[in-house]
Amino acid sequence: MGKYVYLNGELVPQEEAKISVFDHGVLYGDGVFEGIRAYNRRIFKLDEHVERLYNSAKIIMLEIPISQEEFKKAIISVCKANDIVDGYIRPVVTRGSGTLGLSPWLCPKPNIFVIADTIKLYPDEYYENGLPIVTVPTRRNLAEAVNPMVKSLNYLNNILAKIEAKNAGAEEAIMMNQDGYVAECTGDNIFLIKKGVIYTPPVYMGVLPGITRATVMDLAAEMGLKVVEEPLTRAEFYVADEVFLTGTAAEVVPISSIDGRKIGNGSVGPITRKLIERFKEYVKTVGTPIA
Ligand code: PMP
């Protein structure tokens, strides 16, 4: 566990890092967040994550009272204070304390906090042999509701989907959009590979524009692989040669089966394996130094 948390301009011991029960982040899920990795004392894609945080905040009309540059300094400071080498960083901005009504205008001051710690989502076995996943009934939010491109504190659909996956004996869920096309998993983007070409649902299908997704798409292109963004059905995933997920916490995870259908021969496919290797190499060589 990390020792310090950044809270509203200060580094405070984590036992003292507290916010009010009247915070609308707690009462209504009114807020935004990010999940960022640090590798080898460098923060991976810091600019991209902070930009996405500010975009999420802008869409919900939450004005973050510090600049993006100040926010980046805050993230670096808490990593430094906790001596993070390989870690996971969680910046959160909530609407702040208000009344028991919904009104965001009665919340004068957003709360900003950043936790720097570690994370391990899945046991190594899944990276070596593939993760079995299932499709679930709970849909990804409509783009016309809370647009899935907003990384908000409202993750209840995703949590329900995770519960449905667990109830079905799987670790992760594929969520469809309102039209029944595959959107993404509860905390990861999804890709399939068919005849050497990589496919993933476009962001307009109700997908968070994942930073790992963009990284893997760039690395794949550099490796000479074709990447296509197009609407995909669950059946197309069933008959794919390879399937993998991408996300900051999960990184690149191979999928062994979907709804009991073996993907490829049920182990990690050759292109997925190469992408995992390339991703692992790449993350160690880039990023903002924690100094
Ligand atoms: N989709 C959802 C719903 C997520 O919560 C995440 C994790 N932030 C992702 C996809 C993956 O995004 P990223 O690669 O930026 O972590």
Side-chain angles (χ1 to χ4, degrees), residues 52 140 151 155 158 184 186-189 208 210-212 247-248:
R52 189 172 66 183
R140 198 69 173 97
K151 199 162 166 58
Y155 258 56
N158 301 42
E184 59 183 341
T186 64
D188 305 304
N189 293 110
L208 183 82
I211 289 162
T212 321
T248 295

Side-chain angles (χ1 to χ4, degrees), residues 212-235:
T212 321
R213 174 183 183 273
T215 303
V216 167
M217 287 165 81
D218 288 347
L219 294 175
E222 276 171 35
M223 289 159 71
L225 294 158
K226 189 172 170 199
V227 186
V228 179
E229 290 177 81
E230 65 176 40
L232 298 164
T233 62
R234 130 172 83 166

Side-chain angles (χ1 to χ4, degrees), residues 10-200:
E10 284 175 65
L11 291 170
V12 298
Q14 64 176 19
E15 320 76 67
E16 290 164 30
K18 293 185 178 145
I19 58 168
S20 166
V21 293
F22 290 94
D23 190 302
H24 280 208
V26 178
L27 290 176
Y28 297 117
D30 186 353
V32 292
F33 75 103
E34 273 301 318
I36 312 177
R37 278 242 186 209
Y39 294 100
N40 203 16
R41 290 190 201 279
R42 287 161 183 265
I43 304 171
F44 187 63
K45 303 275 178 188
L46 180 60
D47 291 354
E48 287 82 347
H49 281 284
V50 170
E51 194 186 339
R52 189 172 66 183
L53 181 73
Y54 277 70
N55 285 342
S56 295
K58 185 173 185 184
I59 295 171
I60 68 160
M61 294 194 85
L62 168 56
E63 201 170 318
I64 302 177
I66 60 174
S67 69
Q68 293 199 25
E69 281 315 307
E70 286 167 321
F71 211 115
K72 287 178 209 170
K73 283 191 188 139
I75 292 173
I76 295 167
S77 73
V78 69
C79 288
K80 218 168 141 180
N82 292 322
D83 198 23
I84 295 292
V85 180
D86 295 303
Y88 181 79
I89 306 152
R90 169 57 54 86
V92 181
V93 184
T94 69
R95 191 75 67 175
S97 285
T99 65
L100 290 179
L102 276 180
S103 174
W105 297 280
L106 297 176
C107 305
K109 191 174 157 286
N111 273 314
I112 302 177
F113 58 90
V114 185
I115 303 166
D117 207 326
T118 54
I119 197 166
K120 187 165 171 69
L121 220 54
Y122 299 122
D124 292 342
E125 178 209 325
Y126 289 129
Y127 294 88
E128 284 147 25
N129 304 322
L131 177 74
I133 59 173
V134 290
T135 57
V136 294
T138 298
R139 300 291 167 114
R140 198 69 173 97
N141 234 344
L142 301 175
E144 297 79 7
V146 179
N147 192 306
M149 74 181 279
V150 180
K151 199 162 166 58
S152 80
L153 293 179
N154 233 295
Y155 258 56
L156 208 41
N157 287 341
N158 301 42
I159 290 165
L160 285 173
K162 194 91 174 165
I163 291 170
E164 288 158 359
K166 267 281 198 233
N167 286 346
E171 290 284 334
E172 184 50 294
I174 298 184
M175 300 178 78
M176 312 293 168
N177 70 9
Q178 69 269 28
D179 299 318
Y181 285 94
V182 169
E184 59 183 341
C185 292
T186 64
D188 305 304
N189 293 110
I190 189 163
F191 291 76
L192 69 80
I193 303 172
K194 186 81 183 169
K195 298 191 195 310
V197 178
I198 302 179
Y199 298 85
T200 195

